Every structure is written in structure tokens, then in C-alpha cells.
Amino acid sequence: NSIPAICAALAVCCSTPVGAANKAKANWAKNFEEAEQTSKRTGKPMMVDFYTDGELVQKADRDVYATAEFAKLSQKFVIVKINAQHEPALATKYGVKGYPTVVFLGAAGKSKMNAAGYRPLDTFKNVMEQFLVRIGPIVPPAVKSRAARRLRAAEKALEKQD
């Protein structure tokens, strides 16, 4: 009686590719403009991957960007891939000289850090984390605006007490 149940369970387990449960998908913006708007709205920094067609790009896509670890950490960023052959002016604007190069930008759009060349997953995660430490806490603009209004109101209240 339990043999059909065991067979059914084995069929389900064996039909899922090994490691598929560990794969998560990163949420890539469609283009630079979308990424920039999302960054401004959310206060998240941008991670811009400038690439050209080549083997290192495929290696990064497969060994770094397709991992659950990258997908989880990338949630703290607005991420976008830019083919520099199609948008050379954008690559030049951010000082990209070789490919692949990942440019990390603060929410205000200022270039904060460039990481040229392919990096394995652990090294790349360290670069992402270092950038997050460098820029400090991520505060959405709406929260900053509310905090500024509250601060001004508190200052006015203090002035009235004087």
C-alpha cells in the first residue's frame, strides 16, 4: 500500500532538477532609465553591469547572477545590465574602460565604485557588501522628507519656547 505513495514521492523529487530549489531569480530592471527612476523612488543604490558579448559575461550570468545568494543580496540594489556596445556614451559617462565592469551608484546617481573584470561569487558578494557599508543606511526619499518635516516642526516648537 505504501509503495504507490513512495513511487509518487520519488517521481516528484526526481522531476525537480538538482539545485533548482536553490536558484532564485534576481529582479533586473529593463533599462538604465527604469533603474534610475526606481533608485530615486526607493533610495536603493544602483548596480550597473556594463558588458559586451563574450565568455566572461556568460560565466558571470551562470556562476554569479543565477545564484540564490546573489538574488538575495541584489534585493538591496536596483540592478541593471547594459550592453556597452549599444550604449557606449553611458559606459563612457561612468568611466568604464574594460568589460565586464560593474558600476555601483548611490541613489543620487553619483558614481561611488567601479569593479572591473570578472569576480567569482564570494568575491563579488564582498564587493557588493563593501559598497553598502560605504554608502550607509538606505533611506527612501519619502522617509527622509517626513523626517526633515518633523525636524523643522521640532525646531519651530523649540524657538517658540525660547
Side-chain angles (χ1 to χ4, degrees):
N1 289 337
S2 63
I3 292 178
I6 292 171
C7 289
L10 282 173
V12 169
C13 290
C14 294
S15 66
T16 303
V18 175
N22 292 332
K23 300 276 181 178
K25 248 186 143 176
N27 187 22
W28 295 90
K30 291 179 181 76
N31 55 50
F32 187 84
E33 292 76 23
E34 177 186 299
E36 192 172 42
Q37 290 171 358
T38 302
S39 176
K40 287 178 183 175
R41 187 180 73 251
T42 63
K44 289 182 181 181
M46 291 173 60
M47 185 195 100
V48 185
D49 178 9
F50 287 96
Y51 70 95
T52 58
D53 297 328
E55 187 177 318
L56 288 179
V57 171
Q58 294 170 3
K59 186 174 174 88
D61 285 344
R62 180 186 65 239
D63 297 345
V64 178
Y65 298 150
T67 66
E69 292 174 81
F70 173 79
K72 182 178 179 183
L73 187 54
S74 73
Q75 292 173 3
K76 296 178 180 182
F77 293 85
V78 177
I79 57 175
V80 64
K81 291 177 69 95
I82 303 294
N83 186 328
Q85 292 170 316
H86 298 170
E87 297 194 49
L90 194 57
T92 300
K93 176 180 178 179
Y94 290 105
V96 176
K97 297 192 183 341
Y99 305 98
T101 294
V102 176
V103 177
F104 294 94
L105 304 170
K110 293 183 178 177
S111 181
K112 298 286 187 177
M113 186 167 69
N114 286 15
Y118 170 80
R119 287 175 167 72
L121 177 62
D122 288 339
T123 305
F124 194 74
K125 282 177 21 188
N126 286 339
V127 170
M128 292 173 76
E129 290 165 350
Q130 286 172 7
F131 181 71
L132 289 171
V133 168
R134 183 181 288 180
I135 64 168
I138 298 168
V139 181
V143 173
K144 285 182 184 176
S145 179
R146 280 194 306 270
R149 282 194 304 274
R150 288 181 184 150
L151 180 60
R152 283 193 299 272
E155 288 171 344
K156 285 181 182 179
L158 286 173
E159 287 174 2
K160 288 180 183 179
Q161 288 179 357
D162 290 340

